[in-house]
Amino acid sequence: TQKIYTNTKDIYKHKRYIQTQKIYTNTKDIYKCKRYIQTQKIYTNRNVRNTAYIVENRGNNLKKWILSKEDKTKDLLDTDELNISEEIRKILLNRKIFDTRSAKEYINPAIEYLRDPFLLKDMDRAVERIKMAIAQKEKICIYGDYDVDGVSSTSILMIYFKSIGYPVEYYIPNRLEEGYGINIEAVNHLKGLGINLVVTVDCGITSVNEVEYANSIGIDVIVTDHHECQEVLPNACAVVDPKRPDCTYPFESICGCTVALKLIHALSGNAVFMATISRYLEIVSLATICDVMPALDENRIIVKNGLEIFGSGSNCGIKALVKVCGLEGNKIRSSDLGFQVGPRINAAGRLGFSELGVELLTEESQERADFLADLMDLKNTERQSIEARIYNDVEDIINSDKSYNDDKIIVIGGEDWHHGIIGIVASKITEKYYKPCILMCIEGGVAVGSARSIKGFNLFKAMNDCKELMTKFGGHEQAAGLTMDACNIEELRKKINKIANYDLTDEDLVEKIKIDLEIDAERIDLEFVDSLHVLEPFGIKNPTPLFLLRDCIVKKCNLIGRDKKHLKLEINKVFDFEAIGFGMSHLAEKFSLGDHIDIVFQLSENNFNGQKKVQLMIKDIKLNKPTKMLDNGYITKKVEESINFNVESSCEIDDFSFDILDLIESKIYSDKELRQIKSIIDKNVERYDNVNEAISENTLLVYNTISGYFRAKSDISTSDIEKIDHIFLSNIDKMPLKRYNKIIIYDYIDNISQIAYIIENKGFDCDLVLNFNYGDFIQLKMKRNEMDFQRDEFVVVYKRILGIKDLIVKYGDFISSVNLTSVKVIMILKVLKDEEIIDYEIDYVNNEIKFKVLPMKGEKLDLQKNKIIIKIKNQNDLFKKTYSI
């Protein structure tokens, strides 16, 4: 499967081989393999396709930007009725909300829309068993988990039972000593307490043996969970899990705390539940955000309404957490829950103090709640310190062993790592390298691990295929936990990467960033930032909107934070903006001060010392145009390509005695083409509005200046089209134009013959799009002026070559030393080489020129008779004639 195939016959033969070997069992797998072969294909022509781009840059942590295209055909939104801006309208369309009614429900999701809890399989059995326990005064224990979801689930059930006056116990396993889920020792402990009924929350779905053991010693179990099920369900009194195969609940992507809320709903009855739901909403919204549930359907209802009262409701623990996070008096956002409130609860659990979370969220004394919140804040600081050390250890291991570059799943074990913290580190490693990651801490020959995945790769399924190597595992598609013998770590690495080699292509390992909007810099202000909150709550399936600004100038760049891990920029695009990238210090390597960059970001409000200002939260950065272009060998090559020195070019007319008006009024042109030609000559073209929407399959982008090249490159980087060819206008005769459905021209043409060549050689149905303006004409005019012949400039360049030690020099240094433009220098070097005065080679990798001075000829040269000079003079004359200069 790794073989590179270069023609259709070989692809077909390989497809036949796959089928005969029975490696793949369905059409989807065969198609995936065929796609893999296609993405590995070697491209031998000048064009750069997106698929080739991905393969060539494998391992460079590049991200693929996709700028959303507006579906105007389905737009039925009334912005006036909704009282929203044009930008918000476009974002709603990107979220598949096409009509005003749907938008109203999206913006104002009512609590009454929560579904009947009895739609969950076994909910009736769970309610019946709990009510029987209450009637018979049995001892009930809520068995939770140590993360935010488990702690929150336990807390709301404790609050519910207290509200009905029935005392219950709770049990949270110690993360460091017991690990995830039900364990036999805990069951025995509960038996000693006289517990008759255990109700699990956010765990238990994989605890088949443990539930069976509980049954054997006289403890009934009700499992409520939301994690993926294995082949066999626990033999419990009831198993309430929206992901169980026979459950028909309409929305399965709810967290464990929401399942517990559904249980409270079923136990209370609809009237009582709706009257008392405010007791639980703050906690359930926190769990939903922190467990990274999709911000859709019931999750949206819960979080939207929970945020409305968060910190101002009746829960003392929530108030204390808001205070310790410094959020008092602020409008609480979903990001505050995910990045400030939640981590403090998680920190306690990760360090072995999970019961602190339940104690805090069920505390009725504000003074005591404040004390517990301060304690959690201290634990969070401790967690951050441990996390930084483990992260650095993992980075050192990856950087010291190049074999991890080839692994599609990062599997690493380490001694003296805190296994309560490795899940956070695994998430950060996955985010940085965009690869699934499994980290394990080794102690006494046992490895306890946490795993995180990327979009499109079912980590739970892959781990299930390796289950013989593990003593215990559980989780879901994107995150999981495991326990295994430490001696099996390397075998797990080999086996799970073998699975990934079939299931993950190189294209899958390029993170795709979906950009909502390319925004006008003048629209970015505090009022606009505030207007975005109407779209909350944000999360999976309803992410925080991402915006794009192109061609921004980097004015300042600093690394901040205790370990200098964070990036802080000041950029300019109409206005100056402050941009922050947390954990993104590595992006600083991509640019220098003064460079032009494209930046993808979220918008936020920074409130410091009572002063509010807009802050851009960086998602990714790409170099748009470097300031020191001559220090870049790749750009040096592009400058060369921008000038046509081919004296045999078939798309230029050296005899320019023709009449332009006669040419453009020829019968071969359509009315549209005539208008396009005339508008070019009149220099009144405007850039195409949102050119990304114009780019489609089989599109050719043509440019004529370095500035045009950079604009086209930026558009390619934000398109979701797999194949986009692009080329300098000087090489247009090398392209089979009839193959393209669309040709987009990014610069003014040098002369009328070039546009004539394009029109006469393109396909009949090919659409021609002009994407430039008068500013681009000035760029082209400067380029043509730089190519005027001046004999004394040739003398300067030749003398400088003679003075170079060893005849090797950096290209940028050479250009600076002669005080001429790069276009001018390239022209002079071409002519001197053509006249056999010098020879030279450019090392584009190291951006160096190696010269060789050739013996002088006897006669004095008349450079103006050189065929390159003559060609350039003809080009310049035709340029002036074309534009009436």
Side-chain angles (χ1 to χ4, degrees):
T1 59
Q2 300 298 308
K3 184 176 178 181
I4 295 173
Y5 294 92
T6 58
N7 58 52
T8 306
K9 182 179 178 182
D10 285 342
I11 293 173
Y12 175 76
K13 284 168 63 179
H14 189 68
K15 181 178 176 183
R16 291 284 301 151
Y17 173 78
I18 293 168
Q19 292 169 326
T20 55
Q21 295 296 310
K22 308 293 186 186
I23 295 174
Y24 296 118
T25 58
N26 58 48
T27 306
K28 181 181 178 183
D29 287 340
I30 294 172
Y31 174 77
K32 283 171 66 177
C33 187
K34 184 177 179 183
R35 290 284 302 131
Y36 175 79
I37 295 166
Q38 289 171 333
T39 58
Q40 299 295 314
K41 183 177 178 181
I42 296 175
Y43 291 95
T44 56
N45 57 20
R46 286 176 173 269
N47 331 333
V48 180
R49 294 177 168 87
N50 276 3
T51 47
Y53 170 84
I54 288 169
V55 174
E56 289 167 6
N57 292 285
R58 182 173 50 225
N60 291 340
N61 301 327
L62 293 179
K63 297 177 174 68
K64 174 60 182 172
W65 297 3
I66 300 173
L67 182 59
S68 297
K69 295 183 179 181
E70 185 179 346
D71 191 347
K72 296 179 180 178
T73 62
K74 297 181 180 179
D75 180 11
L76 298 173
L77 295 171
D78 187 330
T79 54
D80 291 334
E81 186 176 346
L82 293 168
N83 193 27
I84 58 174
S85 66
E86 184 66 14
E87 290 83 5
I88 299 293
R89 181 188 68 81
K90 291 179 180 179
I91 294 170
L92 288 174
L93 292 176
N94 291 341
R95 279 142 172 72
K96 310 300 181 187
I97 299 168
F98 301 118
D99 61 85
T100 302
R101 179 178 177 179
S102 298
K104 285 181 177 179
E105 293 177 359
Y106 174 89
I107 292 170
N108 297 299
I111 204 74
E112 290 77 18
Y113 294 144
L114 289 175
R115 292 190 178 88
D116 182 350
F118 289 101
L119 294 175
L120 283 162
K121 181 76 173 178
D122 273 12
M123 182 61 81
D124 53 344
R125 297 176 61 183
V127 169
E128 182 182 356
R129 182 63 186 88
I130 291 172
K131 287 187 173 181
M132 183 179 78
I134 293 173
Q136 297 179 358
K137 298 194 177 344
E138 295 180 273
K139 293 192 72 172
I140 301 173
C141 179
I142 313 302
Y143 193 111
D145 186 27
Y146 39 66
D147 68 359
V148 174
D149 194 13
V151 166
S152 299
S153 306
T154 305
S155 298
I156 64 169
L157 278 180
M158 294 298 294
I159 292 170
Y160 165 74
F161 280 109
K162 187 169 187 178
S163 72
I164 64 171
Y166 194 83
V168 297
E169 303 289 335
Y170 73 89
Y171 186 89
I172 305 287
N174 186 297
R175 183 172 197 149
L176 308 183
E177 298 172 3
E178 300 172 78
Y180 171 78
I182 308 174
N183 63 82
I184 299 298
E185 292 77 10
V187 174
N188 287 330
H189 171 72
L190 296 178
K191 180 64 176 177
L193 296 177
I195 298 298
N196 308 109
L197 175 64
V198 169
V199 180
T200 76
V201 287
D202 193 36
C203 64
I205 197 65
T206 61
S207 302
V208 176
N209 294 333
E210 291 80 2
V211 170
E212 201 62 60
Y213 177 75
N215 292 339
S216 70
I217 61 172
I219 297 178
D220 283 349
V221 179
I222 293 172
V223 172
T224 76
D225 202 348
H226 73 122
H227 292 100
E228 298 286 349
C229 307
Q230 295 187 12
E231 293 88 347
V232 180
L233 294 178
N235 182 26
C237 298
V239 178
V240 182
D241 187 331
K243 289 190 176 72
R244 61 180 286 180
D246 56 348
C247 182
T248 59
Y249 196 74
F251 183 64
E252 68 172 31
S253 299
I254 53 178
C255 69
C257 193
T258 300
V259 177
L261 183 70
K262 292 288 175 182
L263 179 60
I264 293 172
H265 190 172
L267 287 166
S268 303
N270 194 63
V272 173
F273 176 73
M274 288 299 174
T276 59
I277 191 172
S278 59
R279 296 173 182 166
Y280 317 111
L281 269 180
E282 293 172 284
I283 299 175
V284 187
S285 61
L286 175 65
T288 302
I289 291 295
C290 293
D291 220 45
V292 201
M293 293 293 104
L296 302 172
D297 205 272
E298 289 188 299
N299 293 336
R300 184 169 180 80
I301 297 170
I302 288 167
V303 177
K304 185 82 171 183
N305 287 278
L307 286 174
E308 291 296 325
I309 62 170
F310 202 90
S312 61
S314 59
N315 192 283
C316 294
I318 295 294
K319 288 179 181 177
L321 284 171
V322 167
K323 181 179 178 181
V324 85
C325 292
L327 297 172
E328 275 188 310
N330 295 347
K331 178 69 175 176
I332 307 297
R333 308 298 181 188
S334 52
S335 57
D336 296 325
L337 273 59
F339 294 109
Q340 295 201 64
V341 181
R344 284 167 168 78
I345 296 177
N346 259 335
R350 292 182 184 281
L351 297 176
F353 299 90
S354 304
E355 292 187 353
L356 270 179
V358 179
E359 190 176 347
L360 174 65
L361 294 179
T362 57
E363 180 58 56
E364 294 182 342
S365 162
Q366 192 61 59
E367 183 179 356
R368 173 70 177 165
D370 290 342
F371 169 78
L372 293 171
D374 287 338
L375 185 58
M376 281 188 164
D377 194 44
L378 290 174
K379 292 297 177 186
N380 190 50
T381 302
E382 182 182 348
R383 184 270 304 171
Q384 290 171 332
S385 176
I386 297 170
E387 176 192 325
R389 179 180 63 81
I390 298 174
Y391 180 86
N392 290 333
D393 287 350
V394 174
E395 282 280 68
D396 288 343
I397 293 170
I398 292 173
N399 293 331
S400 63
D401 185 349
K402 299 304 180 185
S403 67
Y404 285 105
N405 291 337
D406 298 323
D407 283 1
K408 291 183 176 178
I409 299 182
I410 297 172
V411 181
I412 299 176
E415 303 274 357
D416 195 31
W417 287 353
H418 197 298
H419 68 73
I421 308 296
I422 54 175
I424 304 175
V425 180
S427 294
K428 293 194 171 184
I429 294 296
T430 293
E431 182 178 359
K432 179 177 179 180
Y433 294 97
Y434 202 66
K435 292 180 178 182
C437 177
I438 303 174
L439 297 184
M440 287 168 279
C441 55
I442 303 169
E443 187 176 340
V446 176
V448 179
S450 288
R452 299 294 184 270
S453 192
I454 61 175
K455 185 178 180 180
F457 183 72
N458 191 327
L459 188 60
F460 181 85
K461 181 177 179 295
M463 290 175 65
N464 191 56
D465 292 339
C466 305
K467 61 184 178 183
E468 73 280 0
L469 299 173
M470 294 173 273
T471 55
K472 187 177 182 181
F473 80 98
H476 46 77
E477 185 174 329
Q478 294 294 296
L482 68 153
T483 304
M484 64 187 301
D485 290 336
C487 60
N488 288 333
I489 292 177
E490 192 59 31
E491 184 61 29
L492 175 64
R493 179 185 175 188
K494 291 177 182 177
K495 184 166 183 178
I496 205 163
N497 269 287
K498 189 175 181 181
I499 293 168
N501 284 335
Y502 283 107
D503 291 347
L504 283 173
T505 67
D506 290 301
E507 194 171 350
D508 292 328
L509 293 174
V510 175
E511 182 181 358
K512 295 175 179 62
I513 300 177
K514 189 173 181 181
I515 303 165
D516 286 273
L517 201 62
E518 181 170 359
I519 191 168
D520 184 344
E522 295 183 2
R523 288 288 292 127
I524 301 176
D525 56 24
L526 288 171
E527 183 180 352
F528 179 70
V529 173
D530 188 63
S531 73
L532 293 174
H533 296 310
V534 73
L535 302 169
E536 286 202 323
F538 298 126
I540 294 179
K541 304 294 185 181
N542 184 50
T544 304
L546 290 178
F547 300 97
L548 168 66
L549 275 180
R550 302 191 210 232
D551 203 22
C552 306
I553 301 173
V554 180
K555 295 181 66 177
K556 293 181 182 178
C557 177
N558 296 302
L559 298 182
I560 60 174
R562 184 173 54 188
D563 299 319
K564 304 298 181 184
K565 295 290 186 183
H566 312 307
L567 178 65
K568 183 177 182 180
L569 299 179
E570 183 180 316
I571 61 173
N572 179 269
K573 180 69 182 282
V574 182
F575 307 113
D576 289 344
F577 295 104
E578 181 184 274
I580 298 288
F582 291 107
M584 293 185 174
S585 58
H586 58 282
L587 291 180
E589 303 169 1
K590 296 186 175 185
F591 54 84
S592 304
L593 291 182
D595 283 351
H596 293 239
I597 61 171
D598 295 343
I599 180 170
V600 176
F601 56 92
Q602 298 170 356
L603 279 169
S604 72
E605 177 187 286
N606 181 25
N607 190 348
F608 183 70
N609 287 336
Q611 289 190 328
K612 293 182 180 181
K613 62 179 178 179
V614 174
Q615 193 170 68
L616 314 187
M617 308 303 293
I618 302 169
K619 179 66 176 178
D620 198 22
I621 292 171
K622 288 183 180 177
L623 182 64
N624 180 300
K625 183 170 57 178
T627 299
K628 299 179 180 178
M629 290 193 288
L630 302 182
D631 293 339
N632 186 309
Y634 178 74
I635 296 174
T636 299
K637 196 172 191 329
K638 289 299 174 184
V639 173
E640 272 198 278
E641 288 180 26
S642 71
I643 310 168
N644 186 4
F645 294 108
N646 179 14
V647 295
E648 307 297 333
S649 176
S650 61
C651 71
E652 292 196 358
I653 303 172
D654 289 333
D655 179 7
F656 48 88
S657 60
F658 59 83
D659 186 279
I660 291 177
L661 291 178
D662 288 344
L663 176 68
I664 65 176
E665 290 175 0
S666 166
K667 298 291 185 181
I668 63 173
Y669 301 126
S670 68
D671 290 341
K672 181 179 179 181
E673 290 165 344
L674 281 172
R675 286 195 302 271
Q676 288 175 328
I677 294 172
K678 288 180 178 179
S679 64
I680 292 174
I681 297 170
D682 293 339
K683 299 184 287 294
N684 61 1
V685 180
E686 293 294 331
R687 287 185 183 173
Y688 195 91
D689 185 28
N690 198 353
V691 72
N692 278 74
E693 293 188 357
I695 296 175
S696 56
E697 295 290 346
N698 292 322
T699 293
L700 173 66
L701 311 186
V702 181
Y703 33 81
N704 197 22
T705 65
I706 285 295
S707 295
Y709 160 73
F710 281 120
R711 286 200 296 119
K713 184 180 176 186
S714 180
D715 285 332
I716 291 170
S717 75
T718 58
S719 176
D720 60 347
I721 303 301
E722 289 192 358
K723 190 182 77 169
I724 307 174
D725 292 345
H726 56 104
I727 195 167
F728 274 100
L729 181 61
S730 56
N731 295 311
I732 194 68
D733 56 333
K734 297 180 175 65
M735 302 299 291
L737 300 185
K738 283 184 170 57
R739 68 182 286 180
Y740 297 105
N741 297 328
K742 188 173 294 182
I743 298 175
I744 303 179
I745 305 179
Y746 277 71
D747 279 301
Y748 278 85
I749 55 174
D750 286 309
N751 57 68
I752 195 68
S753 62
Q754 289 174 331
I755 195 68
Y757 177 86
I758 292 173
I759 291 176
E760 291 169 15
N761 287 275
K762 71 182 181 68
F764 179 78
D765 295 325
C766 179
D767 191 17
L768 193 63
V769 176
L770 306 182
N771 182 37
F772 45 88
N773 59 25
Y774 187 72
D776 300 310
F777 176 75
I778 300 301
Q779 293 282 335
L780 180 60
K781 187 177 178 181
M782 291 170 58
K783 170 186 163 184
R784 300 310 319 179
N785 290 340
E786 289 172 8
M787 299 175 71
D788 283 338
F789 175 77
Q790 301 289 335
R791 184 179 179 83
D792 58 343
E793 293 173 340
F794 280 77
V795 175
V796 170
V797 171
Y798 182 67
K799 286 184 177 179
R800 176 69 187 102
I801 294 171
L802 293 177
I804 296 172
K805 184 180 180 180
D806 299 326
L807 296 178
I808 299 178
V809 65
K810 285 288 185 181
Y811 181 80
D813 293 342
F814 181 74
I815 297 289
S816 300
S817 67
V818 295
N819 197 28
L820 298 172
T821 67
S822 57
V823 170
K824 176 78 75 174
V825 171
I826 288 174
M827 181 193 77
I828 292 172
L829 293 180
K830 289 281 187 182
V831 172
L832 293 177
K833 182 175 182 178
D834 187 64
E835 291 291 345
E836 298 181 350
I837 296 174
I838 64 165
D839 196 6
Y840 69 91
E841 290 181 359
I842 299 180
D843 179 350
Y844 296 107
V845 175
N846 297 308
N847 205 29
E848 293 179 337
I849 308 181
K850 183 177 182 180
F851 290 103
K852 181 179 181 181
V853 179
L854 302 177
M856 292 292 292
K857 297 177 182 179
E859 70 278 9
K860 185 177 180 179
L861 292 175
D862 185 355
L863 292 177
Q864 293 196 65
K865 293 182 179 180
N866 178 268
K867 57 189 177 183
I868 295 176
I869 295 295
I870 293 171
K871 177 180 178 61
I872 291 173
K873 182 179 183 303
N874 286 346
Q875 288 177 341
N876 286 349
D877 288 344
L878 191 52
F879 172 76
K880 293 173 183 177
K881 183 177 179 66
T882 297
Y883 294 105
S884 301
I885 299 174

